Amino acid sequence: MTAVAVTGIGVVSAFGHGVEPFWRGLVAGTCGLRPIRRFEVPRGVALGGEVPPLELRELVTTAIGRRIDWVSLMLLAACRLALADAGLAALEPARTGLGLGSAWGNLQETGAFLDRLFARGGGNPLLFPNLVFNAPLSYASIELGITGPTAMLSAAEASGEAAIAWGAEQVAEGGVDVCLAGGADELGAVLHQVLREGRVVACGVPRPLDPAADGACPGEGGAVLVLEPLARARARGARIRARLVAPPGFAVPAPVHGWARDPVPLAEGLARTVSDADVVFAAASGRPELDGLEAAALARALGGRRVTVTAVRGALGDFGAAGALAAAAAALAVSTGLVPPTCGLAPSARAGLDVVTGAARPRAVRVAAVDGLARGGLCRPLRLEAV
């Protein structure tokens, strides 16, 4: 199998647009969560991670693209930013792949369409194409001129990791010369209401891996990685952020829409992925059920090794494709030798884990693992390795 290199990273997040504000905010330990402005929420649960507005005219070049929805626009922006970061001004359409992931897809326009449907008996037909789940894939393919293999994946909280793993497979098997892979999700009023009614929203700032955590704060954003064969990247003199390895995904017994209850099979599945890791980017969000399971599983999988752990959802918010941003952060940790802190955690962490808090931790990172946990027992881990 061909070795896969990460040569470009594009991010839109609560910190802004581009890899620079994303990494600067994470490394500084800044919390990107702010009072939600897009829709009304009750007092006490008002924080969220909203992406600043994007300029449509700077991103869209086709007539059909003028109807683009928000989650598709975030992904298109992340793709363009990733290509610029990789120094790729032109693509060979048939030898370029595109793999995108999302847990929810288009939330805002779906709500507007259904509101009108219920009120008037008919929805806006011009809006309907945006509600199809693979609309982001279609918009990005058209705007970027990609005609190679494409896929739109949904894997709950591991949607970003699943898409990146798919992209790595396309490159490793020689199906494409370049693959853009990542994911995005948006923050919507209906989803926020469901989370509030489920009592999983934090009353203040979330506290990932903190035994006293009371919930997560919803967010949104997107990240896309440019993946190329390692030899090709070296030949063109590209900056290589990291080598990407996608171990096989697996599943453990769990309720269909809930978290696994037994950390042992999860630890056994993760053991090889984290066995030599210098840092683990956890899925922890401040939800006690997830964080307790993950901490116990990691402690067991690490077998007593003192391994650095961090999580990005405390700074950016919790959403389905947030794992794509964790993968971007893992690649940056490998290339910069800095591990960003976990926002909100008041030491000590669950299960005695060595979680970075306060300030970024300088260290040589040979292997950064993203554990890729999702509800329903799914696990889609990734490894970012130094080259």
Side-chain angles (χ1 to χ4, degrees), residues 80-325:
R80 292 201 185 280
L81 289 165
L83 288 170
D85 187 61
L88 287 172
L91 299 170
E92 185 179 344
R95 294 291 298 170
T96 303
L98 179 63
L100 302 177
S102 182
W104 304 109
N106 184 333
L107 291 173
Q108 299 178 63
E109 291 186 350
T110 298
F113 181 89
L114 292 175
D115 285 344
R116 176 170 165 171
L117 179 66
F118 296 148
R120 304 183 187 181
N124 182 352
L126 296 177
L127 199 61
F128 183 78
N130 285 358
L131 312 188
V132 179
F133 191 78
N134 66 348
L137 188 76
S138 301
Y139 276 119
S141 298
I142 293 168
E143 287 290 331
L144 301 174
I146 293 172
T147 61
T150 62
M152 188 79 196
L153 298 93
S154 184
E157 289 82 1
S159 294
E161 294 94 328
I164 291 170
W166 180 89
E169 183 179 6
Q170 306 310 304
V171 175
E173 292 183 348
V176 295
D177 296 327
V178 175
C179 190
L180 286 80
D185 271 297
E186 68 178 359
L187 185 59
V190 173
L191 176 61
H192 197 280
Q193 180 180 345
V194 170
L195 295 174
R196 293 197 313 268
E197 292 177 356
R199 300 188 177 184
V200 295
V201 178
C203 293
V205 174
R207 303 167 67 176
L209 295 171
D210 192 321
D214 64 348
C217 282
E220 66 180 5
V224 169
L225 307 183
V226 174
L227 309 178
E228 300 180 60
L230 181 59
R232 180 183 188 274
R234 283 175 169 160
R236 74 176 184 88
R239 174 182 54 187
I240 298 171
R241 300 280 196 178
R243 176 185 176 185
L244 172 64
V245 178
F250 62 93
V252 299
V256 174
H257 300 295
W259 298 100
R261 298 187 177 96
D262 185 357
V264 174
L266 185 58
E268 292 172 348
L270 283 171
R272 291 188 64 181
T273 299
V274 303
S275 62
D276 59 345
D278 300 297
V279 58
V280 175
F281 281 76
S285 63
R287 293 181 62 169
E289 189 178 7
L290 162 62
D291 292 10
L293 167 73
E294 185 174 30
L298 285 177
R300 186 181 182 93
L302 294 170
R305 281 203 315 129
R306 191 73 172 166
V307 174
T308 303
V309 177
T310 192
V312 303
R313 283 172 166 87
L316 302 171
D318 184 29
F319 50 98
L325 282 79

